[in-house]
Amino acid sequence: MEETVKIGLDVVPMSYPPSGVRAYVRALIDAFRSRDCGIDLVPLAPLSGLTRTTNRVSRLSWDVHGIGESARAAHVDLLHMTRFAAPRSSDCPFVVTVHDLIPLQLPEYRASLPSRIQSELARRAVLSARRIIVPSRFVAGEVTAMLGVPTERIDVIPMGVSIPAPRESPALLSGPYVLHTGGFDARKNLPALVRAFARAAPRLGKDWRLVLVGAPHTGNRTVYPPLGPEIERSGLGDRVILTGRVSETDKHALYRHAAIAVAPSSSEGFGLPILEAMAHGVPVIASNRTSHPEVAGDAALLIEPSEEAIAAALLRLATDPALRTALTDRGHARAAQFPWSRTADLTIGSYRKALDT
């Protein structure tokens, strides 16, 4: 790709609440604009903006027709859809990043007719992409198995993590705490984490707390089941802290002072919070499901995402300083293997293959 090419970048996720997809788009924008890589980046989004709460008809209209028309008007050479969506027809070639196939796999995400229609339209349109980018080998296998996409059209491009500057930031909370930053939807397995913390709490000690960062993205109680009743049943309401959405500065401070980070999700396409915690020097407990082992390597305590296993892992890590030190050291090394610069370089390679097809 020696000549400058115009890449139309789907930036709709930039209007989403904090998420891995939003971090991915932000990182690509920063990487492309900070280097001489022969890319003229053209951000594409509706003027009125789209969020997860925008009515589904408007979102579908943009995905199916609007973004293709905007790409045509901008005379881009290639369109990059950064999420599980694609135009019904496009005058220019396009690539699609499929972060996961959860909308097609898990029943909670297919409960409503509009969500099923949106997923089916995306499934059909994605098959027309020149290249499909996925963040893990696990998702690559799912795309081949569920969508029938040949492996030679799939590019495995891991997400990245920014290594924080080694500066001290003030603690936002006192005492040791277990941290979760991975979201509130059903697959994140937060009820099991709350029950596990309640089970471990008597042996952890009264100073330990569980900190859950973020908030549900919508009011859909099927996808985002209320957590309040579970916290109330645990009898530890004053020791389970719901922060709501926090700034990046506060999120870094929460990571830096956490004793343990937990990612008990039952299904993930990648698992960015694992790397974020490792980059901050926090020992990690993660589920042994889907993409997590691929991302964590030997730098996390991998467990079954059950209440009993999570509780046992919390107690083991809290009482074993040697294990905490080992996981912290391995975590730093593991996070360093995932720079966003590599994500950008490999993405440019995917663009080149799409344009050469």
Side-chain angles (χ1 to χ4, degrees), residues 168-175 177 179 209 211 213 241 243 246-258:
E168 191 56 37
S169 53
L172 301 180
L173 300 168
S174 60
Y177 56 88
L179 182 66
R209 287 182 281 182
V211 178
V213 176
I241 298 175
T243 69
V246 300
S247 67
E248 283 298 303
T249 298
D250 284 350
K251 185 176 78 168
H252 287 308
L254 287 168
Y255 270 127
R256 190 174 297 280
H257 296 281

Side-chain angles (χ1 to χ4, degrees), residues 136-199:
S136 61
R137 294 188 300 276
F138 166 75
V139 177
E142 297 288 285
V143 168
T144 296
M146 291 194 67
L147 303 184
V149 177
T151 56
E152 57 268 20
R153 283 178 52 206
I154 301 173
D155 296 317
V156 179
I157 302 178
M159 296 173 73
V161 66
S162 299
I163 305 299
R167 64 177 183 273
E168 191 56 37
S169 53
L172 301 180
L173 300 168
S174 60
Y177 56 88
V178 176
L179 182 66
H180 177 273
T181 63
F184 278 68
D185 46 316
R187 64 193 167 93
K188 303 300 183 175
N189 207 23
L190 292 188
L193 176 56
V194 170
R195 292 193 298 270
F197 181 74
R199 179 186 287 244

Side-chain angles (χ1 to χ4, degrees), residues 64-86:
V64 174
H65 303 293
I67 195 165
E69 293 170 359
S70 292
R72 183 183 309 114
H75 303 290
V76 301
D77 300 299
L78 181 71
L79 171 62
H80 181 182
M81 296 297 298
T82 57
R83 60 209 158 86
F84 189 51

Side-chain angles (χ1 to χ4, degrees), residues 111 145 269 320:
D320 189 338

